[in-house]
Protein backbone atom coordinates (compact mmCIF):
# COMPACT_ATOMS: atom_id res chain seq x y z
CA UNK A 1 0.00 0.00 0.00
CA UNK A 2 1.26 3.45 -0.90
CA UNK A 3 1.15 6.20 1.65
CA UNK A 4 1.46 9.27 -0.49
CA UNK A 5 -1.32 10.63 -2.67
CA UNK A 6 -0.36 10.23 -6.32
CA UNK A 7 -1.57 12.39 -9.17
CA UNK A 8 -3.86 9.60 -10.21
CA UNK A 9 -5.51 9.70 -6.79
CA UNK A 10 -5.91 13.46 -6.97
CA UNK A 11 -7.49 13.26 -10.39
CA UNK A 12 -9.85 10.57 -9.19
CA UNK A 13 -10.86 12.85 -6.32
CA UNK A 14 -11.52 15.71 -8.70
CA UNK A 15 -13.52 13.68 -11.15
CA UNK A 16 -15.66 11.97 -8.55
CA UNK A 17 -16.25 15.14 -6.58
CA UNK A 18 -17.57 16.71 -9.77
CA UNK A 19 -19.89 13.76 -10.34
CA UNK A 20 -20.92 13.86 -6.69
CA UNK A 21 -21.80 17.54 -6.83
CA UNK A 22 -23.79 17.15 -10.04
CA UNK A 23 -25.79 14.24 -8.66
CA UNK A 24 -26.26 16.14 -5.42
CA UNK A 25 -27.69 19.15 -7.19
CA UNK A 26 -29.94 17.21 -9.50
CA UNK A 27 -31.44 15.40 -6.53
CA UNK A 28 -31.73 18.59 -4.50
CA UNK A 29 -34.15 20.21 -6.92
CA UNK A 30 -36.88 18.54 -4.91
CA UNK A 31 -35.98 20.99 -2.15
CA UNK A 32 -38.31 23.74 -3.25
CA UNK A 33 -41.26 21.98 -1.67
CA UNK A 34 -41.07 23.02 2.01
CA UNK A 35 -41.43 19.56 3.57
CA UNK A 36 -38.77 18.13 1.33
CA UNK A 37 -36.46 21.01 2.05
CA UNK A 38 -35.99 19.60 5.53
CA UNK A 39 -35.65 16.04 4.32
CA UNK A 40 -33.34 17.15 1.56
CA UNK A 41 -30.11 15.85 3.11
CA UNK A 42 -31.67 12.45 3.55
CA UNK A 43 -32.94 12.15 0.00
CA UNK A 44 -29.66 13.40 -1.37
CA UNK A 45 -27.73 11.02 0.85
CA UNK A 46 -29.49 8.04 -0.70
CA UNK A 47 -28.94 9.10 -4.29
CA UNK A 48 -25.42 10.35 -3.81
CA UNK A 49 -24.43 7.09 -2.14
CA UNK A 50 -24.17 5.45 -5.55
CA UNK A 51 -21.34 7.54 -7.03
CA UNK A 52 -19.75 7.69 -3.61
CA UNK A 53 -19.46 3.92 -3.41
CA UNK A 54 -17.84 3.89 -6.83
CA UNK A 55 -15.41 6.52 -5.57
CA UNK A 56 -14.60 4.39 -2.53
CA UNK A 57 -13.79 1.48 -4.79
CA UNK A 58 -11.01 3.67 -6.22
CA UNK A 59 -9.69 4.78 -2.84
CA UNK A 60 -6.54 3.04 -1.67
CA UNK A 61 -4.61 5.84 -0.03
CA UNK A 62 -5.17 7.63 3.22
CA UNK A 63 -6.47 11.17 2.72
CA UNK A 64 -8.61 10.85 -0.37
CA UNK A 65 -11.95 10.96 1.42
CA UNK A 66 -10.74 13.83 3.59
CA UNK A 67 -9.69 15.90 0.60
CA UNK A 68 -13.06 15.29 -0.99
CA UNK A 69 -14.81 16.48 2.15
CA UNK A 70 -12.66 19.64 2.26
CA UNK A 71 -13.65 20.47 -1.31
CA UNK A 72 -17.32 19.80 -0.60
CA UNK A 73 -17.10 21.98 2.49
CA UNK A 74 -15.70 24.88 0.48
CA UNK A 75 -18.39 24.33 -2.08
CA UNK A 76 -21.09 24.59 0.56
CA UNK A 77 -19.51 27.81 1.82
CA UNK A 78 -19.55 29.14 -1.70
CA UNK A 79 -23.29 28.57 -1.68
CA UNK A 80 -23.63 30.91 1.26
CA UNK A 81 -23.81 28.47 4.15
CA UNK A 82 -22.23 29.61 7.45
CA UNK A 83 -18.56 28.68 8.01
CA UNK A 84 -19.07 25.75 10.48
CA UNK A 85 -20.12 23.82 7.37
CA UNK A 86 -16.46 23.33 6.57
CA UNK A 87 -15.75 21.82 9.99
CA UNK A 88 -18.74 19.51 9.85
CA UNK A 89 -17.71 18.34 6.40
CA UNK A 90 -14.07 17.77 7.31
CA UNK A 91 -14.98 16.03 10.56
CA UNK A 92 -17.38 13.71 8.72
CA UNK A 93 -14.72 13.07 6.09
CA UNK A 94 -12.00 12.25 8.61
CA UNK A 95 -14.21 9.91 10.62
CA UNK A 96 -15.34 8.11 7.48
CA UNK A 97 -11.71 7.89 6.37
CA UNK A 98 -10.60 6.38 9.68
CA UNK A 99 -13.41 3.83 9.56
CA UNK A 100 -12.32 2.80 6.08
CA UNK A 101 -8.69 2.72 7.15
CA UNK A 102 -9.40 0.08 9.80
CA UNK A 103 -10.11 -2.45 7.08
CA UNK A 104 -7.50 -1.04 4.70
CA UNK A 105 -10.18 0.25 2.32
CA UNK A 106 -11.09 -3.27 1.29
CA UNK A 107 -14.26 -4.12 3.17
CA UNK A 108 -17.59 -3.38 1.51
CA UNK A 109 -19.33 -3.30 4.88
CA UNK A 110 -17.02 -0.59 6.13
CA UNK A 111 -17.55 1.30 2.88
CA UNK A 112 -21.31 1.27 3.43
CA UNK A 113 -20.92 2.52 7.00
CA UNK A 114 -18.41 5.08 5.76
CA UNK A 115 -20.91 6.32 3.23
CA UNK A 116 -23.39 6.78 6.07
CA UNK A 117 -20.92 8.74 8.16
CA UNK A 118 -19.72 10.80 5.23
CA UNK A 119 -23.22 11.98 4.40
CA UNK A 120 -23.33 13.87 7.70
CA UNK A 121 -21.52 16.67 5.85
CA UNK A 122 -24.89 17.52 4.30
CA UNK A 123 -26.14 18.58 7.70
CA UNK A 124 -24.05 21.65 7.16
CA UNK A 125 -26.33 22.54 4.28
CA UNK A 126 -29.34 22.69 6.60
CA UNK A 127 -27.40 24.31 9.44
CA UNK A 128 -28.83 27.83 8.96
CA UNK A 129 -32.27 26.50 9.87
CA UNK A 130 -31.20 25.66 13.41
CA UNK A 131 -29.67 27.11 16.57
CA UNK A 132 -28.30 30.65 16.49
CA UNK A 133 -28.76 31.02 12.76
CA UNK A 134 -32.44 30.25 12.97
CA UNK A 135 -34.03 33.65 13.50
CA UNK A 136 -32.04 35.68 10.97
CA UNK A 137 -32.30 32.88 8.44
CA UNK A 138 -36.05 32.70 8.72
CA UNK A 139 -36.28 36.45 8.53
CA UNK A 140 -34.41 36.35 5.26
CA UNK A 141 -36.55 33.45 4.03
CA UNK A 142 -39.65 35.36 4.95
CA UNK A 143 -38.45 38.37 3.03
CA UNK A 144 -37.18 36.37 0.11
CA UNK A 145 -39.61 33.48 -0.20
CA UNK A 146 -42.76 34.92 1.38
CA UNK A 147 -44.86 34.00 4.43
CA UNK A 148 -46.40 30.76 3.22
CA UNK A 149 -43.06 29.12 2.61
CA UNK A 150 -41.45 30.44 5.77
CA UNK A 151 -44.29 29.47 8.11
CA UNK A 152 -44.46 25.93 6.80
CA UNK A 153 -40.73 25.52 7.13
CA UNK A 154 -40.65 27.10 10.59
CA UNK A 155 -43.33 24.80 11.92
CA UNK A 156 -41.50 21.61 10.99
CA UNK A 157 -38.01 22.53 12.18
CA UNK A 158 -37.66 22.76 15.96
CA UNK A 159 -34.08 22.43 17.24
CA UNK A 160 -34.33 18.76 18.12
CA UNK A 161 -35.06 18.11 14.48
CA UNK A 162 -31.36 18.70 13.79
CA UNK A 163 -30.40 15.57 15.70
CA UNK A 164 -33.17 13.55 14.16
CA UNK A 165 -31.86 14.67 10.80
CA UNK A 166 -28.31 13.57 11.65
CA UNK A 167 -29.61 10.08 12.36
CA UNK A 168 -31.74 10.13 9.22
CA UNK A 169 -28.73 11.30 7.25
CA UNK A 170 -26.64 8.39 8.43
CA UNK A 171 -29.48 6.01 7.65
CA UNK A 172 -29.89 7.62 4.23
CA UNK A 173 -26.17 7.34 3.62
CA UNK A 174 -26.16 3.69 4.58
CA UNK A 175 -29.14 3.05 2.32
CA UNK A 176 -27.31 4.87 -0.43
CA UNK A 177 -24.25 2.77 0.31
CA UNK A 178 -26.25 -0.44 0.03
CA UNK A 179 -27.80 0.76 -3.19
CA UNK A 180 -24.38 1.73 -4.48
CA UNK A 181 -22.93 -1.64 -3.52
CA UNK A 182 -25.75 -3.36 -5.38
CA UNK A 183 -25.18 -1.22 -8.46
CA UNK A 184 -21.45 -1.86 -8.32
CA UNK A 185 -22.03 -5.58 -8.06
CA UNK A 186 -24.55 -5.60 -10.88
CA UNK A 187 -22.73 -3.42 -13.39
CA UNK A 188 -19.14 -2.71 -12.50
CA UNK A 189 -17.80 -5.99 -11.14
CA UNK A 190 -18.90 -7.64 -14.36
CA UNK A 191 -17.07 -5.11 -16.45
CA UNK A 192 -14.02 -5.41 -14.23
CA UNK A 193 -14.08 -1.77 -13.27
CA UNK A 194 -14.58 -1.89 -9.52
CA UNK B 1 -24.51 24.85 -18.42
CA UNK B 2 -21.45 23.79 -20.32
CA UNK B 3 -19.83 27.16 -20.61
CA UNK B 4 -20.74 28.24 -17.10
CA UNK B 5 -18.42 25.97 -15.25
CA UNK B 6 -15.27 25.39 -17.21
CA UNK B 7 -12.12 27.46 -17.40
CA UNK B 8 -11.11 29.50 -20.39
CA UNK B 9 -8.88 27.42 -22.61
CA UNK B 10 -6.29 29.97 -23.62
CA UNK B 11 -5.78 33.63 -24.39
CA UNK B 12 -4.66 36.82 -22.72
CA UNK B 13 -4.29 37.70 -19.11
CA UNK B 14 -7.35 37.53 -16.84
CA UNK B 15 -9.26 40.73 -16.18
CA UNK B 16 -8.97 40.22 -12.46
CA UNK B 17 -6.47 38.27 -10.44
CA UNK B 18 -7.90 34.82 -9.59
CA UNK B 19 -7.55 35.57 -5.89
CA UNK B 20 -9.71 38.70 -6.15
CA UNK B 21 -12.20 36.81 -8.28
CA UNK B 22 -12.60 34.02 -5.76
CA UNK B 23 -12.95 36.49 -2.91
CA UNK B 24 -15.64 38.35 -4.85
CA UNK B 25 -17.57 35.13 -5.54
CA UNK B 26 -17.50 34.34 -1.84
CA UNK B 27 -18.69 37.78 -0.79
CA UNK B 28 -21.36 38.00 -3.48
CA UNK B 29 -22.81 34.60 -2.68
CA UNK B 30 -22.73 35.37 1.04
CA UNK B 31 -24.63 38.61 0.57
CA UNK B 32 -26.99 37.50 -2.18
CA UNK B 33 -28.00 34.12 -0.80
CA UNK B 34 -27.93 34.93 2.89
CA UNK B 35 -28.96 38.57 2.89
CA UNK B 36 -32.40 40.02 3.51
CA UNK B 37 -34.38 42.47 1.44
CA UNK B 38 -34.58 45.39 3.80
CA UNK B 39 -32.42 48.17 5.25
CA UNK B 40 -28.68 48.19 4.69
CA UNK B 41 -28.72 44.68 3.29
CA UNK B 42 -30.88 45.88 0.42
CA UNK B 43 -28.20 48.35 -0.68
CA UNK B 44 -25.47 45.79 -0.19
CA UNK B 45 -27.36 43.39 -2.40
CA UNK B 46 -27.82 46.06 -5.00
CA UNK B 47 -24.09 46.74 -4.98
CA UNK B 48 -23.30 43.05 -5.27
CA UNK B 49 -25.62 42.62 -8.25
CA UNK B 50 -23.77 45.38 -9.99
CA UNK B 51 -20.32 43.75 -9.78
CA UNK B 52 -21.06 40.96 -12.29
CA UNK B 53 -22.83 43.50 -14.52
CA UNK B 54 -19.80 45.77 -14.62
CA UNK B 55 -17.61 42.73 -15.20
CA UNK B 56 -19.73 41.66 -18.17
CA UNK B 57 -19.58 45.13 -19.66
CA UNK B 58 -15.80 45.36 -19.28
CA UNK B 59 -15.32 42.08 -21.12
CA UNK B 60 -17.64 43.40 -23.88
CA UNK B 61 -20.29 40.76 -23.38
CA UNK B 62 -23.12 43.27 -23.88
CA UNK B 63 -25.81 40.76 -24.80
CA UNK B 64 -25.34 38.77 -21.64
CA UNK B 65 -25.16 41.97 -19.61
CA UNK B 66 -28.52 43.07 -20.97
CA UNK B 67 -30.15 39.71 -20.20
CA UNK B 68 -28.68 39.83 -16.71
CA UNK B 69 -30.02 43.29 -16.08
CA UNK B 70 -33.43 42.31 -17.45
CA UNK B 71 -33.71 39.29 -15.20
CA UNK B 72 -32.82 41.35 -12.16
CA UNK B 73 -35.35 44.04 -13.00
CA UNK B 74 -37.95 41.32 -13.46
CA UNK B 75 -37.28 39.73 -10.09
CA UNK B 76 -37.11 43.14 -8.43
CA UNK B 77 -40.58 43.97 -9.77
CA UNK B 78 -41.93 40.64 -8.55
CA UNK B 79 -40.33 40.90 -5.14
CA UNK B 80 -41.30 44.53 -4.77
CA UNK B 81 -44.88 44.50 -5.96
CA UNK B 82 -46.40 41.25 -7.20
CA UNK B 83 -45.76 39.30 -3.99
CA UNK B 84 -47.80 41.75 -1.95
CA UNK B 85 -50.69 41.54 -4.42
CA UNK B 86 -51.05 37.78 -4.66
CA UNK B 87 -51.61 35.02 -2.13
CA UNK B 88 -51.74 31.22 -1.80
CA UNK B 89 -50.37 29.04 -4.57
CA UNK B 90 -49.59 31.87 -6.97
CA UNK B 91 -47.69 33.65 -4.26
CA UNK B 92 -45.58 30.55 -3.62
CA UNK B 93 -44.85 30.18 -7.32
CA UNK B 94 -43.83 33.82 -7.78
CA UNK B 95 -41.77 33.72 -4.64
CA UNK B 96 -39.89 30.67 -5.80
CA UNK B 97 -39.17 32.03 -9.27
CA UNK B 98 -38.09 35.45 -8.05
CA UNK B 99 -36.18 33.90 -5.16
CA UNK B 100 -34.15 31.68 -7.43
CA UNK B 101 -33.34 34.52 -9.79
CA UNK B 102 -32.45 37.15 -7.26
CA UNK B 103 -30.53 34.86 -4.95
CA UNK B 104 -28.56 32.63 -7.26
CA UNK B 105 -28.14 34.59 -10.48
CA UNK B 106 -25.48 37.04 -9.31
CA UNK B 107 -23.10 34.48 -7.78
CA UNK B 108 -23.59 32.22 -10.80
CA UNK B 109 -22.90 34.97 -13.29
CA UNK B 110 -19.88 36.07 -11.29
CA UNK B 111 -18.64 32.50 -11.34
CA UNK B 112 -19.24 32.41 -15.08
CA UNK B 113 -17.29 35.61 -15.63
CA UNK B 114 -14.39 34.37 -13.56
CA UNK B 115 -14.27 31.07 -15.37
CA UNK B 116 -14.51 32.79 -18.72
CA UNK B 117 -11.56 35.04 -18.04
CA UNK B 118 -9.23 32.75 -16.10
CA UNK B 119 -7.12 29.91 -17.45
CA UNK B 120 -6.38 26.82 -15.43
CA UNK B 121 -2.71 27.64 -15.12
CA UNK B 122 -3.49 31.14 -13.86
CA UNK B 123 -5.81 29.64 -11.28
CA UNK B 124 -3.27 27.06 -10.14
CA UNK B 125 -0.49 29.64 -9.98
CA UNK B 126 -2.57 32.06 -7.95
CA UNK B 127 -3.48 29.27 -5.56
CA UNK B 128 0.20 28.41 -5.24
CA UNK B 129 0.93 32.02 -4.28
CA UNK B 130 -1.41 31.81 -1.31
CA UNK B 131 0.12 28.46 -0.39
CA UNK B 132 -2.83 26.21 -1.08
CA UNK B 133 -1.31 22.73 -1.32
CA UNK B 134 -1.37 20.75 -4.57
CA UNK B 135 -3.57 18.19 -2.87
CA UNK B 136 -6.39 20.73 -3.07
CA UNK B 137 -5.60 22.58 -6.30
CA UNK B 138 -5.27 19.55 -8.56
CA UNK B 139 -8.65 18.02 -7.62
CA UNK B 140 -10.26 21.46 -7.87
CA UNK B 141 -8.98 22.18 -11.35
CA UNK B 142 -9.83 18.64 -12.48
CA UNK B 143 -13.30 19.13 -11.03
CA UNK B 144 -13.97 22.27 -13.02
CA UNK B 145 -12.54 20.70 -16.11
CA UNK B 146 -14.91 17.81 -15.58
CA UNK B 147 -18.29 19.50 -15.09
CA UNK B 148 -18.86 20.15 -18.81
CA UNK B 149 -17.72 16.61 -19.57
CA UNK B 150 -20.41 15.21 -17.30
CA UNK B 151 -23.13 17.17 -19.03
CA UNK B 152 -21.76 16.05 -22.41
CA UNK B 153 -21.72 12.42 -21.34
CA UNK B 154 -25.19 12.74 -19.90
CA UNK B 155 -26.46 14.16 -23.16
CA UNK B 156 -24.91 11.27 -25.07
CA UNK B 157 -26.55 8.77 -22.73
CA UNK B 158 -29.97 10.36 -23.11
CA UNK B 159 -29.56 10.36 -26.88
CA UNK B 160 -28.61 6.71 -26.90
CA UNK B 161 -31.64 5.95 -24.76
CA UNK B 162 -33.90 7.83 -27.12
CA UNK B 163 -32.43 6.02 -30.08
CA UNK B 164 -33.27 2.67 -28.50
CA UNK B 165 -36.70 4.03 -27.57
CA UNK B 166 -36.18 3.68 -23.85
CA UNK B 167 -38.25 6.70 -22.97
CA UNK B 168 -38.23 7.79 -19.36
CA UNK B 169 -41.97 8.01 -18.85
CA UNK B 170 -42.80 4.37 -18.37
CA UNK B 171 -40.07 3.36 -15.97
CA UNK B 172 -40.02 3.96 -12.26
CA UNK B 173 -37.72 6.60 -10.85
CA UNK B 174 -35.22 4.05 -9.61
CA UNK B 175 -34.93 2.34 -12.99
CA UNK B 176 -34.53 5.68 -14.68
CA UNK B 177 -31.81 6.63 -12.27
CA UNK B 178 -30.03 3.37 -12.94
CA UNK B 179 -30.26 3.78 -16.71
CA UNK B 180 -28.90 7.30 -16.61
CA UNK B 181 -26.42 7.14 -13.80
CA UNK B 182 -24.63 3.87 -14.46
CA UNK B 183 -23.39 4.68 -17.98
CA UNK B 184 -22.30 8.14 -16.84
CA UNK B 185 -20.42 6.56 -13.96
CA UNK B 186 -18.83 4.08 -16.33
CA UNK B 187 -17.49 6.79 -18.56
CA UNK B 188 -16.42 8.78 -15.52
CA UNK B 189 -14.13 5.97 -14.46
CA UNK B 190 -12.70 5.64 -17.96
CA UNK B 191 -12.15 9.38 -18.36
CA UNK B 192 -10.49 9.61 -14.97
CA UNK B 193 -7.97 6.99 -16.07
CA UNK B 194 -7.28 8.75 -19.34
CA UNK B 195 -6.92 12.10 -17.66
CA UNK B 196 -4.39 10.84 -15.19
CA UNK B 197 -2.35 9.24 -17.93
CA UNK B 198 -2.47 12.46 -19.91
CA UNK B 199 -1.35 14.56 -16.97
CA UNK B 200 1.44 12.12 -16.11
CA UNK B 201 2.85 12.55 -19.59
CA UNK B 202 2.71 16.30 -19.03
CA UNK B 203 4.91 15.87 -15.99
CA UNK B 204 2.38 16.51 -13.27
CA UNK B 205 3.27 14.71 -10.08
CA UNK B 206 7.03 14.88 -10.41
CA UNK B 207 9.11 16.09 -7.53
CA UNK B 208 10.43 19.10 -9.41
CA UNK B 209 8.53 22.38 -9.26
CA UNK B 210 6.64 23.06 -12.46
CA UNK B 211 7.29 26.27 -14.34
CA UNK B 212 4.78 28.36 -16.23
CA UNK B 213 4.63 31.44 -18.39
CA UNK B 214 1.44 33.08 -17.21
CA UNK B 215 1.47 36.43 -15.45
CA UNK B 216 -0.29 36.54 -12.12
CA UNK B 217 -0.27 39.48 -9.78
CA UNK B 218 -2.46 41.98 -8.01
CA UNK B 219 -3.08 45.22 -9.89
CA UNK B 220 -4.75 48.46 -8.84
CA UNK B 221 -8.21 47.27 -9.90
CA UNK B 222 -7.77 44.18 -7.73
CA UNK B 223 -6.94 46.31 -4.72
CA UNK B 224 -9.90 48.63 -5.38
CA UNK B 225 -12.36 45.75 -5.70
CA UNK B 226 -10.92 44.06 -2.61
CA UNK B 227 -11.38 47.26 -0.64
CA UNK B 228 -15.01 47.49 -1.73
CA UNK B 229 -15.61 43.84 -0.89
CA UNK B 230 -14.06 44.34 2.52
CA UNK B 231 -16.41 47.25 3.22
CA UNK B 232 -19.38 45.17 2.05
CA UNK B 233 -18.36 42.26 4.27
CA UNK B 234 -17.90 44.45 7.31
CA UNK B 235 -21.26 46.16 6.79
CA UNK B 236 -22.94 42.82 6.19
CA UNK B 237 -21.53 41.23 9.32
CA UNK B 238 -22.14 44.24 11.54
CA UNK B 239 -25.77 44.87 10.52
Amino acid sequence: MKNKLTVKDLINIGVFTALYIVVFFVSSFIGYVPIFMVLLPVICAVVVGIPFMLFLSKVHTFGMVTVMSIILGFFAMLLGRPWPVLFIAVAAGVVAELLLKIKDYKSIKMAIIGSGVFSIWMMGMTLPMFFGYREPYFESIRAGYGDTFADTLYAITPDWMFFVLIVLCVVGGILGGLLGAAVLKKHFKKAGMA
Amino acid sequence: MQAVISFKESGGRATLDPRTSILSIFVISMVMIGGGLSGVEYWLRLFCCLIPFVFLVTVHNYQFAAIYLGLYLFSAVIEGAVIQLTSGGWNLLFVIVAGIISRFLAPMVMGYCVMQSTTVSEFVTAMERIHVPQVITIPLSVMFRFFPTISEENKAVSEAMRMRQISGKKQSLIKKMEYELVPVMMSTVRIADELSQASLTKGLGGDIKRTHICEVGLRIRDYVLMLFLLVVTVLFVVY
Side-chain angles (χ1 to χ4, degrees):
Chain A
M1 208 185 111
K2 308 155 289 179
N3 286 319
K4 208 167 158 276
L5 289 169
T6 60
V7 174
K8 194 170 161 39
D9 293 335
L10 295 179
I11 286 172
N12 267 329
I13 297 172
V15 164
F16 280 100
T17 313
L19 187 67
Y20 192 94
I21 288 174
V22 169
V23 173
F24 182 79
F25 270 91
V26 170
S27 51
S28 66
F29 273 120
I30 321 168
Y32 269 98
V33 184
I35 299 175
F36 287 131
M37 188 157 176
V38 182
L39 292 179
L40 198 57
V42 185
I43 299 168
C44 287
V46 175
V47 182
V48 153
I50 302 169
F52 190 68
M53 287 298 284
L54 184 61
F55 172 63
L56 288 186
S57 75
K58 302 277 160 198
V59 173
H60 305 288
T61 321
F62 188 77
M64 284 175 83
V65 181
T66 314
V67 171
M68 188 176 184
S69 69
I70 294 172
I71 294 177
L72 287 173
F74 270 115
F75 208 80
M77 269 172 70
L78 210 60
L79 291 170
R81 299 304 194 278
W83 55 267
V85 162
L86 188 60
F87 288 94
I88 294 178
V90 174
V94 170
V95 174
E97 179 100 62
L98 289 173
L99 279 174
L100 288 163
K101 175 83 179 162
I102 295 173
K103 293 278 181 183
D104 250 6
Y105 300 95
K106 287 202 182 86
S107 143
I108 290 229
K109 254 184 219 147
M110 270 306 174
I112 292 168
I113 297 170
S115 150
V117 173
F118 189 80
S119 57
I120 292 178
W121 83 270
M122 290 175 206
M123 288 316 296
M125 301 295 269
T126 57
L127 194 64
M129 273 186 239
F130 301 96
F131 307 117
Y133 305 105
R134 189 174 170 79
E135 295 307 322
Y137 182 69
F138 272 97
E139 239 165 64
S140 79
I141 281 200
R142 198 175 295 279
Y145 293 77
D147 287 341
T148 327
F149 194 88
D151 288 338
T152 324
L153 199 58
Y154 198 89
I156 50 176
T157 54
D159 267 355
W160 53 263
M161 196 60 193
F162 188 75
F163 300 101
V164 175
L165 276 181
I166 290 183
V167 176
L168 281 177
C169 236
V170 175
V171 173
I174 289 175
L175 275 179
L178 286 170
L179 204 63
V183 170
L184 284 191
K185 202 173 165 197
K186 186 173 170 193
H187 295 283
F188 289 84
K189 286 265 159 59
K190 232 175 8 194
M193 291 172 96
Chain B
M1 178 86 179
Q2 285 187 18
V4 174
I5 34 186
S6 63
F7 281 108
K8 185 173 75 165
E9 299 204 341
S10 59
R13 189 175 171 183
T15 322
L16 287 171
D17 184 85
R19 283 162 282 182
T20 326
S21 316
I22 288 169
L23 183 71
S24 64
I25 296 179
F26 262 108
V27 173
I28 290 177
S29 67
M30 182 181 75
V31 173
M32 294 309 287
I33 299 178
L37 288 172
S38 53
V40 185
E41 290 189 359
Y42 180 79
W43 296 105
L44 290 181
R45 281 173 66 107
L46 200 65
F47 177 72
C48 284
C49 307
L50 282 177
I51 299 176
F53 180 71
V54 172
F55 203 130
L56 282 171
V57 171
T58 45
V59 296
H60 305 291
N61 200 339
Y62 298 115
Q63 198 187 355
F64 200 160
I67 295 172
Y68 177 76
L69 198 65
L71 279 172
Y72 258 102
L73 286 177
F74 170 75
S75 74
V77 167
I78 287 189
E79 285 187 333
V82 181
I83 284 176
Q84 267 81 39
L85 299 175
T86 53
S87 59
W90 280 106
N91 182 287
L92 197 63
L93 184 73
F94 276 128
V95 157
I96 288 170
V97 171
I100 292 177
I101 294 175
S102 84
R103 266 154 212 281
F104 295 103
L105 190 65
M108 268 166 59
V109 172
M110 193 63 206
Y112 168 81
C113 294
V114 170
M115 292 290 176
Q116 286 291 295
S117 66
T118 314
T119 58
V120 177
S121 54
E122 274 173 328
F123 172 76
V124 171
T125 314
M127 288 295 107
E128 232 167 59
R129 292 271 173 85
I130 50 174
H131 302 288
V132 176
Q134 272 206 332
V135 176
I136 303 288
T137 51
I138 293 178
L140 264 183
S141 43
V142 170
M143 197 174 92
F144 285 117
R145 148 81 176 68
F146 200 68
F147 278 128
T149 315
I150 290 182
S151 86
E152 243 167 62
E153 292 294 323
N154 193 37
K155 221 170 97 193
V157 170
S158 323
E159 265 165 23
M161 275 167 71
R162 227 186 12 252
M163 201 167 77
R164 292 173 180 75
Q165 298 190 319
I166 311 169
S167 65
K169 296 249 163 53
K170 284 172 197 153
Q171 274 101 26
S172 66
L173 198 65
I174 302 266
K175 263 273 176 286
K176 206 173 149 188
M177 235 164 60
E178 190 185 337
Y179 286 173
E180 292 253 359
L181 198 55
V182 169
V184 173
M185 273 164 44
M186 289 269 187
S187 45
T188 304
V189 174
R190 204 195 60 237
I191 293 166
D193 283 346
E194 286 170 3
L195 257 183
S196 48
Q197 278 154 15
S199 53
L200 276 180
T201 47
K202 284 182 189 165
L204 204 65
D207 295 326
I208 300 160
K209 195 165 181 265
R210 278 162 59 86
T211 54
H212 50 77
I213 53 165
C214 61
E215 272 183 280
V216 172
L218 296 171
R219 283 173 289 183
I220 294 173
R221 54 181 110 162
D222 293 305
Y223 286 116
V224 171
L225 186 59
M226 271 191 192
L227 191 69
F228 273 121
L229 290 172
L230 198 69
V231 173
V232 167
T233 317
V234 169
L235 282 175
F236 187 75
V237 173
V238 171
Y239 284 99

